[in-house]
Amino acid sequence: MLLTTTNSVEGKTISTYYGMVTGEAIIGANIFKDIFASITDIVGGRSGAYEKSLRDAKNIAIQEMIEAARALGANAILAIDLDYETLGKDSGMMMVSANGTAVKLD
């Protein structure tokens, strides 16, 4: 599956547009408080464990988006956008969403 943030792929023709596909991952923000409370790898204000949690959530959202595109018969997703949002009372959860346009490239 070809993934790109661009609206086209140089040298390829889009033969079919399948429409928008999405993937989401929601993780509890309490996990971050626990990480910060016990973290030992904070260097210069960065937390490797915190960053890993965000990367994992991003990868889950992207994988869900890919699965949705494959189910439609797509072989590429164009114009991909990633969003990070806080949800719930007191922003107790974080959501990562990935969306893009599923297409068939020739």
Side-chain angles (χ1 to χ4, degrees):
M1 179 74 58
L2 176 67
L3 306 175
T4 182
T5 58
T6 62
N7 294 321
S8 62
V9 176
E10 188 174 339
K12 299 286 185 180
T13 302
I14 299 170
S15 62
T16 308
Y17 285 89
Y18 293 103
M20 187 172 69
V21 288
T22 62
E24 296 88 19
I26 299 174
I27 51 177
N30 289 339
I31 197 171
F32 300 128
K33 291 177 186 174
D34 295 340
I35 290 169
F36 281 122
S38 63
I39 199 74
T40 58
D41 63 340
I42 296 176
V43 178
R46 291 182 62 174
S47 168
Y50 180 77
E51 291 171 355
K52 182 183 180 317
S53 293
L54 286 176
R55 270 193 309 274
D56 290 347
K58 178 192 73 168
N59 290 338
I60 290 167
I62 290 172
Q63 190 58 44
E64 284 186 4
M65 181 181 62
I66 290 169
E67 290 170 13
R70 279 197 179 122
L72 295 171
N75 64 1
I77 305 173
L78 307 181
I80 293 173
D81 180 51
L82 298 173
D83 290 309
Y84 298 83
E85 300 289 335
T86 55
L87 304 170
K89 183 179 178 187
D90 300 323
S91 300
M93 304 185 92
M94 174 165 257
M95 177 180 75
V96 179
S97 65
N99 60 69
T101 303
V103 299
K104 180 76 139 197
L105 296 175
D106 290 333

